[in-house]
Amino acid sequence: MNNYRMGGYLLFAIGLINLRYQWGEPGIVGRSATIFIPGALILLATVIAPLKPILMKKEVQYLLSFAGLACVAYAVTN
């Protein structure tokens, strides 16, 4: 569960940092939101008790790992 929290915080922080440093660019709010909203949702999912067993399944772990890496790659290339 700690890995989910750290990954969610990573996405949330990268999204907000991206928003701050590219503030003058057109459309930056939408692009940054695609990074920090999934991070916030992952953080929220770790504190909701019924979702914890779902998050511990291997399929979900692989899916969220891939999605998280895709968001980080998008943030770096953005």
Side-chain angles (χ1 to χ4, degrees):
M1 201 55 54
N2 194 32
N3 289 338
Y4 281 125
R5 288 185 181 131
M6 290 177 33
Y9 179 71
L10 171 76
L11 291 176
F12 191 74
I14 287 175
L16 291 179
I17 290 168
N18 187 33
L19 180 66
R20 170 64 179 108
Y21 282 108
Q22 295 184 15
W23 183 247
E25 298 289 321
I28 190 60
V29 174
R31 291 194 312 259
S32 291
T34 60
I35 302 166
F36 71 75
I37 288 177
L41 291 175
I42 291 172
L43 281 172
L44 183 63
T46 62
V47 297
I48 298 173
L51 293 179
K52 288 182 181 181
I54 296 170
L55 291 175
M56 298 311 293
K57 293 181 181 179
K58 284 289 183 193
E59 303 87 24
V60 175
Q61 289 176 359
Y62 290 135
L63 178 68
L64 286 179
S65 296
F66 177 75
L69 288 174
C71 284
V72 170
Y74 177 69
V76 169
T77 60
N78 183 9

